[in-house]
Amino acid sequence: METNLFLQNVLTPPVLFFFLGIIAVIVRSDLEIPAPLPKLFSLYLLLAIGFKGGIELEKSGLGGKVFPTVSAAIIMSLVIPLICYVILRLKLDVFNSAAIAAAYGSISAVTFITAESFLESQNIPFDGFMVAALALMESPAIIVGLLLVKLGAPKNRPNAKVMKWKAILHESMLNGSVYLLLGSLLIGFLTAAHNPVGVDKMQPFTGKLFYGAECFFLLDMGIVAAQRLPGLKKAGSFLIAFAVLIPLLNAGVGIFVAKALMLSRGNALLFAVLCASASYLAVPAAMRMTVPEAKASYYISTTLGLTFPFNIIFGIPIYMGLVNKIIPSIT
Amino acid sequence: METNLFLQNVLTPPVLFFFLGIIAVIVRSDLEIPAPLPKLFSLYLLLAIGFKGGIELEKSGLGGKVFPTVSAAIIMSLVIPLICYVILRLKLDVFNSAAIAAAYGSISAVTFITAESFLESQNIPFDGFMVAALALMESPAIIVGLLLVKLGAPKNRPNAKVMKWKAILHESMLNGSVYLLLGSLLIGFLTAAHNPVGVDKMQPFTGKLFYGAECFFLLDMGIVAAQRLPGLKKAGSFLIAFAVLIPLLNAGVGIFVAKALMLSRGNALLFAVLCASASYLAVPAAMRMTVPEAKASYYISTTLGLTFPFNIIFGIPIYMGLVNKIIPSIT
Amino acid sequence: METNLFLQNVLTPPVLFFFLGIIAVIVRSDLEIPAPLPKLFSLYLLLAIGFKGGIELEKSGLGGKVFPTVSAAIIMSLVIPLICYVILRLKLDVFNSAAIAAAYGSISAVTFITAESFLESQNIPFDGFMVAALALMESPAIIVGLLLVKLGAPKNRPNAKVMKWKAILHESMLNGSVYLLLGSLLIGFLTAAHNPVGVDKMQPFTGKLFYGAECFFLLDMGIVAAQRLPGLKKAGSFLIAFAVLIPLLNAGVGIFVAKALMLSRGNALLFAVLCASASYLAVPAAMRMTVPEAKASYYISTTLGLTFPFNIIFGIPIYMGLVNKIIPSIT
Amino acid sequence: MKRLDLVFSERELDAIIKALEIAEVPGYTVMKHATGRGPQTIVSEDMEFTGLGANAHVIVFCEEEVLEKIKTNVSPTLNYYGGVAYVSEAIEL
Amino acid sequence: MKRLDLVFSERELDAIIKALEIAEVPGYTVMKHATGRGPQTIVSEDMEFTGLGANAHVIVFCEEEVLEKIKTNVSPTLNYYGGVAYVSEAIEL
Amino acid sequence: MKRLDLVFSERELDAIIKALEIAEVPGYTVMKHATGRGPQTIVSEDMEFTGLGANAHVIVFCEEEVLEKIKTNVSPTLNYYGGVAYVSEAIEL
Ligand SMILES: Nc1ncnc2c1ncn2[C@@H]1O[C@H](COP(=O)(O)O)[C@@H](O)[C@H]1O
Ligand SMILES: Nc1ncnc2c1ncn2[C@@H]1O[C@H](COP(=O)(O)O)[C@@H](O)[C@H]1O
Ligand SMILES: Nc1ncnc2c1ncn2[C@@H]1O[C@H](COP(=O)(O)O)[C@@H](O)[C@H]1O
Ligand code: NA
Ligand code: NA
Ligand code: NA
């Protein structure tokens, strides 16, 4: 059954293109997608999922499971960094531990998208309000990460490096990708409410084109992730184990929370994926600014070089299998 | 009624994304759309409106209102710079006055596109030949601007800065954006006439995708326009008032001309928008080359920093309201 | 009849946009499509034709004419460089002869795409497996070119320039464009076999959008090709004649091979175009690395500056005319 | 005249430009999208799309007096976030 | 050997290259998409998509004799449109 | 301190970086997408999309001792494929 799910996940265009990117690096092909083209696709995907999520949110309304689910997601993004921090402190200093912990509390939009595509190919429904959960899990994790530094950092941290709360909040709430996602969500909501024609006219761009653009972007992400692998080797076996086991742990916790919230199977998978995935957009930007003592290569190579491909290739079908076992009744 | 129109304009995706861009700058989000992505969207939009305009032009033929409308548009692009020049000379020197005047005689393709989208969302028809008017209003304004410099400049202008007519004509007629727009118009025309299958096959690219690409581009234009605001403050209150009042004046004149030409309501709005909008593509390029004495920050910050957002947000519904009052019978 | 075909080819959007690009350079418009936008379109087109070809290949199966056609294509890509080399050696040294010969044995994907569009506009069917032929003609030509250098080069070639076979094979098989094309072909094949929903969901991106993106890219290719013209003048009249006559010769041979293989008219045209076109992506990369003695301006200006536009504008209708004469029965 | 070359993360660009303006430089030139390696970090092209950003290379031609002021203003940022600054001789053409 | 750095608007690139070629430079390197501020103008990244264009940074390594010729050829363009040119010492590696 | 400027084809970037690392440079900065002309070749912007690639401009600030090692390591590549390398004086700000 689960090998079946695994194959069904792997034999979809997005995942196949992801492999194509990874293999390109392994066989040292000179295939490259030069900057700023990845940025174009990254901006497009954020705009499109935000817009589509906003439309769905308007349709479903803000009642029902929306509020509990989003609240639970935010709580997960506050709790996960704490758990991760405790584990990471076994081997790493305060700065690196806090930075990596924050990354794992936050989310990866591309992993979320790939999980959505997986659900669609399985004909399992899910709700648009999960995008709101996605958008609201970025900032809290950053703030927890920085609180951990504030509490754990040695007292003789140079003065210059004292954190300014205003800058931190700014960085966590107004990071370009968070801002675009939330803004597009709001625009989708307003458009659905006031301008249904606009929804139809956006559809070819934000809807139809999406799957192909996702494939193109995953091709690039495959290249990028595979290029992070050497950095991963330097990070050592503790971090390598962390980057594979923690997503499993977080997804497991997420699925039980989803069961408690009585989410549908589709939403439960997305919830698990949000818990399991780690940020390589907003969090690195915030950490670099406020915790320069943390090694960027640590939090980038774990999140992007290992957790991201692990989730895309193995995680999604594994979590789906777990969801099927744990929440079969709500189908 | 007009608040109604205002809301109907503001609550469409293109204008909402424009706001999102403006707000990103105001709240200092680090959202940015790196070069050359804006260029990609700019080229795409010119190609698409040209192509679609050409197809419409072929359908409607060159008879009827086409010739009078296009001629009137060209005349407006010759007259408006003269009026503007007289007003600007009250406070500015010959060079700056001529450069800004030329910009206001010319047009902004994005404002035109946004007006088209507004008309579509209002279900008001308009004609494809208006794109021909758009394409033909760029060059005359440039030439008038340079003639004004030639006549008004002090006799002791350094020799090196004497203008070469060939270069001026070249710059005004073969500027990349004018060339692409006119070329695509012609290609659309030829394709519609000789290769109807080609028209259908272009439709997903030039037609369906257009609205979404417009939104993406307006997001960027919001960022760009808001970044021009500090420059605007330096330009002083005279230019600020000019950048808001002149579009109103020009639109008003345009609507009466449209009434005289007995244009339909949709075409009348587009005509007004052509008169009211100012160029930040072809004209700055030409002015920088031939009138380096003029301050680029003046003509860029007025056209892009104020007139452009004013037209997108307030101008279009105001002009529509005026059109509805002045030309109600021709509906 | 053939003037007719010529007009039917020229009056399609892709060829018209190609002209628009050429004319932009001739009249010195400042229209430009800045890097890396051409790369974006180039990657997109390779991905899309690969993916579509893979789907078709899965549908048709690997039996029937697939194997003979692909084998014949590979043989052509081995034989053509030998013929070209003999001709080129009349005037050029070993290095330049081998490099140019390799380029003509290989193929131009954009020429192939334009020929496909031409067939579609003529309602002439063709098969998806021709893309496999396209993908497999790049590498053999490179290897022949390098063998020619190995055999023909003076014995006192500096030691540093001795070729390493591993590097050569790597460069010829894993060049980015070859890799992406083959990879997308495989992904299309796997998707069609295992995930039909995925095929449908890719369709707006790889299918619908294709024609428009092709036009945009040909606009750029027109600019690029026209910019190569001065370099062509330096290359001299021998190379100019070569760049026009060899495609005709190769296409002619190709059509007789196609007749022998009893290909349909559509496939025969594509086969002819594969033989007639020359590479400006994979081959230059390989030649620059392994035969730095060859002048890049020679093989770039002949392939890109002359053979490419010749094929797009004149070649395709001429070859179609020939196909119609030589293989009329198999319609 | 002196020529100053600064290389640092794009994300500090605004802060560094502000520091240069306060030091009253006569002008500056910025080239973004640079990559590289320093004693502390490796910056690769794909950093640009993650939140980390690539490097910026800034060139300033100025009089010797201005250098001191620049140094005071940019050092905190360069020390905190990394980056290098080197001075050469230059004369106007 | 000398090293010459020119910074000016991309739109004058063809004219400047032509001037360099007439001065018979042995070679040159061009980096486009530069931004900056000078005594006269501010050039920002979004200028690139308006008609104004960003800056180009051109480097020429050449013998001292060539510099004089370059100066004569490029000065009119730089004076008319703005832009800077500075010379440093350089020796081949 | 010395400043080394290398300009060569992007396609040799990995080889040159490797050579620099072997020479144990303290760091380097890379700017891609450069174009130009040398004694042997013209590299234009559209080369980037054909297989040929544009140029890379690499800057290294290092001690004089390192230069010798760099020279040994990069010369084979520069001689084979073309490219230039020039050294100037530089001092830390
Ligand atoms: N010795 C050097 N030579 C040239 N560039 C350098 C050198 N050291 C550092 N850099 C540049 O400065 C950036 C920041 O370096 P770091 O101080 O390690 O954060 C690097 O990414 C390089 O681009
Ligand atoms: N002192 C300077 N140092 C470095 N770059 C400069 C300097 N002055 C001007 N520039 C560059 O030269 C360009 C043209 O300057 P301008 O002469 O003001 O038109 C500016 O946009 C800067 O990129
Ligand atoms: N004298 C020079 N000054 C500045 N850049 C140069 C010079 N000579 C060569 N270059 C650069 O080095 C690259 C390679 O030159 P080449 O040695 O001809 O292959 C050229 O494309 C230029 O970008
Ligand atoms: Na998470
Ligand atoms: Na106007
Ligand atoms: Na061929």
Side-chain angles (χ1 to χ4, degrees), chain B residues 170 174-176 179 195 201 205, chain C residues 20 24 27-30 120:
Chain B
H170 187 268
L174 295 172
N175 175 284
Y179 177 84
N195 186 3
K201 285 171 74 184
F205 185 74
Chain C
L20 195 64
V27 301
R28 291 184 304 112
S29 165
D30 64 352
E120 283 171 9

Side-chain angles (χ1 to χ4, degrees), chain D residues 7 35-41 43 55 82-84, chain F residues 26-29 59-61:
Chain D
V7 185
T35 55
R37 184 180 69 69
Q40 295 149 43
T41 51
V43 175
N55 285 337
V84 293
Chain F
Y28 54 84
T29 295
I59 305 173
V60 181
F61 295 103

Side-chain angles (χ1 to χ4, degrees), chain B residues 251-293:
Chain B
V253 175
I255 292 171
F256 279 101
V257 172
K259 188 187 169 81
L261 290 167
M262 293 191 294
L263 295 186
S264 74
R265 268 167 61 214
N267 290 349
L269 178 74
L270 295 180
F271 196 87
V273 162
L274 289 178
C275 296
S277 67
S279 167
Y280 45 77
L281 291 178
V283 176
M287 290 302 138
R288 197 190 155 285
M289 194 194 80
T290 46
V291 197
E293 293 95 337

Side-chain angles (χ1 to χ4, degrees), chain A residues 104-107 274-277:
Chain A
Y104 279 82
S106 183
I107 49 80
L274 288 178
C275 296
S277 68

Side-chain angles (χ1 to χ4, degrees), chain E residues 10-75:
Chain E
E10 274 179 11
R11 294 190 69 89
E12 273 80 63
L13 188 53
D14 287 349
I16 296 278
I17 297 282
K18 210 171 150 191
L20 294 175
E21 292 291 12
I22 291 173
E24 294 183 325
V25 296
Y28 54 82
T29 295
V30 179
M31 276 162 295
K32 288 171 78 176
H33 314 294
T35 55
R37 184 181 69 69
Q40 295 149 45
T41 51
I42 300 186
V43 175
S44 61
E45 201 175 346
D46 45 21
M47 293 294 152
E48 223 166 319
F49 110 90
T50 70
L52 293 176
N55 285 337
H57 175 200
V58 173
I59 305 172
V60 181
F61 296 103
C62 63
E63 299 299 336
E64 182 142 23
E65 306 85 78
V66 186
L67 281 183
E68 239 357 271
K69 278 198 266 175
I70 296 179
K71 187 173 176 174
T72 323
N73 293 353
V74 302
S75 293

Side-chain angles (χ1 to χ4, degrees), chain C residues 123-161:
Chain C
N123 280 317
I124 302 173
F126 54 89
D127 287 304
F129 64 73
M130 293 307 294
V131 175
L134 168 79
L136 294 171
M137 282 178 82
E138 294 253 30
S139 312
I142 294 175
I143 295 169
V144 173
L146 297 176
L147 273 177
L148 288 171
V149 172
K150 228 180 166 71
L151 298 174
K155 292 290 153 279
N156 58 351
R157 203 181 176 216
N159 216 13
K161 306 208 174 177

Side-chain angles (χ1 to χ4, degrees), chain A residues 20 24 27-30 120, chain C residues 170 174-176 179 195 201 205:
Chain A
L20 195 64
V27 300
R28 292 184 303 111
S29 165
D30 64 352
E120 283 170 10
Chain C
H170 187 269
L174 294 171
N175 175 283
Y179 178 84
N195 186 2
K201 284 172 75 183
F205 185 74

